[in-house]
Amino acid sequence: MSLLFPLPLQILKIEDMDSKELYKLYEQHPVITTDSRNCPEGSIFIALKGASFDGNKFAKAALEKGCSYAIIDEKEYAEAGNDRIILVDDALIAYKEIARAHRRTFQIPVIGITGTNGKTTSKELISAVLAEKFNVLHTEGNFNNDVGVPKTLLHLRPEHEIAVIEMGASHRGDITKLVEYVEPTCGLITNVGRAHLQGFGSFEGVKQTKGELYDYLKAHNCLLFLNESNADLAEMAAQRDFERVVSYGQDETANVQGEVVDCAPFLRFRWHEAGGEWKEVLTHLVGAYNLDNMLAAIAIGLHFGVAPQQICHALENYIPSNNRSQLTETPNNKLVVDAYNANPSSMKAAIENFKWMDVPHKMAILGDMLELGEVSASEHQKVVDMVQSDGFEKVWLVGKEFENTHTTYRKFKDVDEVKAAIAAQQPQNHSILIKGSNSIRLFELPPYL
């Protein structure tokens, strides 16, 4: 990356700047902000752009508020004589290169995670297990994209002993871009399913994109944590002929084997290492589909020397707080809230698990699954057909995609219409599954139920 507007000689002793020089600047000013409303004294402002904003427009304001430098990529905002504004070809690339240079100063294990479903829950469970022994840096929330991943890497500090980095994708090549900056030393794919098909093109496109993590791990002879009970993942790993694998799953051949004991409503499961004794864990997560996430955390914890009793302690005490697999009790109803995201595979898993739960007066409030492209209509109809045979007392469908399905179930344009219906009908003593894509905003419903 070339610098179009050079820093003064007294700052870096050079006239042109590449990623190494950018990192030297960061070492002198080790706080980066991408929000002109938050400009700590002495920080560096990086002007990122999105669909509805252009950070270049706020560079000057960021300097006035306290930033020492602003990195921009639009020449019209590079004021002549203002040596605190640095013009680069691409501010986002500059941001990522600074993050990669920072990551390379740490010789610690870095666990890379991606997958269609479960990657955030897995990341949190793995981090909880590793925290029993290590000082862990992990992705906060769902900061798993081009902007969030560099932000996480720049939080690495000398006291950190291990890092857990989540990587998301919605288009082919996204994971390749991210692993080039994360440089994981080991990793896992939670699963592959039919999601973001507009960006991936097909299920094969999903597998190819998620498999970009496998490509990196294989090319660098890194350790793979593999759910060998998942046929797609097993096939993807076999195609790459990994030499270093730690397996987990429900098969007896796995290094870490587990099985569901019950879900009434919280997941209770048992696990053991190959040749070891069974250990039972009662979790605070609903959903048998969370077994794989638990086993991944166990396999990784054991590999890094966390004692079995510490692992069980971490899993038993993990409480979700992110609208994923949460059980919420209100004065009127019991709610299974899984409203952060939705795609055909996660919707099927949530509905099947809810069907198995031994609870009375079942009701489902289901929101659209977005970004499915040309298969959207058929996938939403499959969901409707599935719940018709599951014995729910009530099913409410929310969103434009469900509106076009063939069913007698009640349909709502948006979440506001659902709120009005709740106020009018006031459901009582129901067990209610709430599941849909985040932008449908079903996570707003619990206070009304």
Side-chain angles (χ1 to χ4, degrees):
M1 179 180 61
S2 61
L3 182 70
L4 302 180
F5 191 81
L7 279 176
L9 295 180
Q10 67 268 28
I11 298 295
L12 293 174
K13 309 300 182 183
I14 56 172
E15 293 184 354
D16 295 315
M17 181 178 288
D18 60 16
S19 59
K20 291 182 180 179
E21 281 67 47
L22 280 174
Y23 187 64
K24 289 179 182 177
L25 182 66
Y26 170 75
E27 288 181 310
Q28 297 171 22
H29 302 273
V31 176
I32 286 181
T33 179
T34 59
D35 186 348
S36 62
R37 298 166 297 181
N38 177 27
C39 297
E41 192 71 27
S43 61
I44 299 172
F45 173 74
I46 297 186
L48 301 182
K49 290 180 284 192
S52 59
F53 67 92
D54 184 351
N56 287 276
K57 297 178 180 180
F58 305 101
K60 185 177 179 181
L63 295 176
E64 293 171 351
K65 292 178 181 178
C67 291
S68 290
Y69 292 94
I71 297 176
I72 67 172
D73 56 15
E74 296 288 347
K75 191 173 182 179
E76 64 180 290
Y77 299 101
E79 299 178 345
N82 189 344
D83 55 24
R84 298 167 62 201
I85 295 180
I86 304 169
L87 179 62
V88 298
D89 296 330
D90 188 312
L92 177 59
I93 291 177
Y95 186 33
K96 293 192 289 186
E97 289 190 348
I98 292 170
R100 176 167 57 187
H102 185 64
R103 181 260 178 273
R104 286 178 173 174
T105 65
F106 294 86
Q107 302 301 313
I108 63 173
V110 176
I111 303 165
I113 302 176
T114 191
T116 300
N117 305 313
K119 54 184 175 293
T120 298
T121 298
S122 291
K123 174 258 301 182
E124 294 197 352
L125 292 171
I126 292 165
S127 300
V129 166
L130 293 174
E132 295 282 324
K133 181 177 180 180
F134 302 101
N135 188 321
V136 183
L137 173 78
H138 64 83
T139 303
E140 296 291 342
N142 67 323
F143 291 153
N144 60 15
N145 60 10
D146 253 2
V147 177
V149 169
K151 181 176 182 179
T152 299
L153 294 175
L154 287 168
H155 282 130
L156 277 168
R157 294 294 179 264
E159 60 267 26
H160 289 126
E161 299 170 294
I162 197 166
V164 184
I165 309 296
E166 178 184 339
M167 295 174 286
S170 55
H171 298 86
R172 295 190 184 193
D174 283 353
I175 298 301
T176 293
K177 294 176 184 177
L178 293 174
V179 293
E180 289 175 353
Y181 296 93
V182 174
E183 297 185 346
T185 60
C186 56
L188 71 151
I189 301 175
T190 56
N191 51 50
V192 287
R194 299 171 69 83
H196 299 296
L197 295 183
Q198 282 181 325
F200 295 133
S202 65
F203 180 51
E204 286 303 313
V206 174
K207 292 167 67 175
Q208 177 182 324
T209 303
K210 301 301 182 181
E212 291 164 8
L213 174 58
Y214 280 5
D215 293 337
Y216 180 93
L217 296 176
K218 173 62 178 178
H220 295 82
N221 194 31
C222 298
L223 177 66
L224 171 65
F225 294 99
L226 173 66
N227 180 357
E228 71 169 38
S229 299
N230 185 302
D232 291 315
L233 297 181
E235 178 187 27
M236 291 164 62
Q239 289 171 346
R240 292 161 176 85
D241 192 24
F242 276 93
E243 297 179 6
R244 303 176 60 208
V245 178
V246 172
S247 63
Y248 61 92
Q250 300 179 51
D251 299 340
E252 293 181 359
T253 55
N255 298 122
V256 175
Q257 182 193 5
E259 60 185 33
V260 173
V261 176
D262 63 47
C263 292
F266 293 120
L267 169 64
R268 183 191 299 271
F269 73 100
R270 63 176 190 161
W271 67 274
H272 69 89
E273 299 176 74
E277 296 182 355
W278 288 100
K279 301 166 186 64
E280 190 166 300
V281 177
L282 175 60
T283 76
H284 291 276
L285 286 173
V286 298
Y289 49 84
N290 276 303
L291 174 63
D292 289 341
N293 302 330
M294 295 285 174
L295 296 180
I298 293 168
I300 291 172
L302 291 172
H303 175 76
F304 287 104
V306 183
Q309 62 269 26
Q310 292 176 302
I311 292 174
C312 292
H313 175 266
L315 298 180
E316 287 170 347
N317 286 278
Y318 170 75
I319 299 177
S321 58
N322 50 16
N323 293 315
R324 291 177 171 90
S325 305
Q326 285 180 248
L327 179 69
T328 301
E329 292 195 37
T330 73
N332 302 312
N333 302 287
K334 291 184 179 181
L335 314 178
V336 177
V337 184
D338 197 349
Y340 182 80
N341 204 356
N343 53 60
S345 55
S346 68
M347 185 71 82
K348 179 181 179 182
I351 292 170
E352 288 183 344
N353 184 77
F354 192 55
K355 177 180 67 175
W356 296 334
M357 289 175 59
D358 185 16
V359 292
H361 307 299
K362 293 181 182 179
M363 176 180 180
I365 303 177
L366 307 178
D368 281 353
M369 306 173 291
L370 303 182
E371 299 183 44
L372 294 181
E374 62 184 18
V375 302
S376 185
S378 61
E379 291 296 340
H380 281 84
Q381 188 62 49
K382 287 178 183 178
V383 170
V384 169
D385 296 341
M386 185 190 315
V387 295
Q388 283 177 339
S389 61
D390 284 339
F392 298 159
E393 289 187 7
K394 295 180 182 178
V395 176
W396 289 1
L397 305 173
V398 189
K400 295 179 180 178
E401 298 296 329
F402 274 125
E403 187 176 6
N404 295 322
T405 58
H406 302 289
T407 180
T408 57
Y409 290 137
R410 188 170 182 181
K411 300 175 183 178
F412 299 83
K413 179 180 68 176
D414 55 33
V415 71
D416 294 321
E417 286 192 356
V418 179
K419 292 174 184 176
I422 293 171
Q425 297 191 14
Q426 298 182 345
Q428 299 280 332
N429 301 316
H430 279 73
S431 298
I432 305 174
L433 170 65
I434 301 174
K435 176 72 175 176
S437 287
N438 190 52
S439 58
I440 306 300
R441 298 170 27 227
L442 297 189
F443 56 81
E444 297 179 5
L445 293 180
Y448 296 85
L449 290 164

